[in-house]
Amino acid sequence: MAKNVTDESSEDVVANARKERAGRRGPFGRIALFIRQVINELKKVVTPTRKELFSYTGVVLAFVVIMMSLVAGFDFLFALGVAYVFGDGPAQ
């Protein structure tokens, strides 16, 4: 006899199966599953080489310096505008 075939996508089938299995697990089973998943994800981590680390650090520091100067410039311009509108005119 033929199986019941539905129009469910494979992602939905997998999601439903996971929900059913998760419902059957006890609290310790869920904790063990979580720890196994964490360990599997940590195995995928690739540490950068010394050269890459210095390169990434340089890029981050350069970006921070650029953003700091941009914010400082806007702050100075807004301060001039506020002083002009609410103060005694342009700062002298």
Side-chain angles (χ1 to χ4, degrees):
M1 186 147 247
K3 287 185 178 179
N4 258 346
V5 178
T6 61
D7 291 335
E8 241 179 338
S9 68
S10 61
E11 292 87 13
D12 293 337
V13 171
V14 171
N16 289 337
R18 284 186 179 159
K19 284 180 191 175
E20 289 173 11
R21 277 184 285 164
R24 288 186 235 145
R25 284 193 181 103
F28 293 111
R30 288 192 297 258
I31 291 171
L33 174 65
F34 174 74
I35 291 172
R36 280 196 307 270
Q37 289 174 343
V38 167
I39 291 170
N40 286 336
E41 289 299 319
L42 286 175
K43 288 179 183 176
K44 297 177 187 177
V45 173
V46 178
T47 56
T49 63
R50 186 176 183 88
K51 183 179 178 182
E52 290 172 335
L53 184 64
F54 283 120
S55 173
Y56 297 157
T57 304
V59 168
V60 168
L61 290 177
F63 178 76
V64 168
V65 167
I66 291 169
M67 292 308 294
M68 282 176 40
S69 17
L70 185 69
V71 169
F74 281 134
D75 181 51
F76 181 73
L77 289 175
F78 287 133
L80 284 178
V82 168
Y84 184 76
V85 171
F86 297 110
D88 298 336
Q92 295 179 14

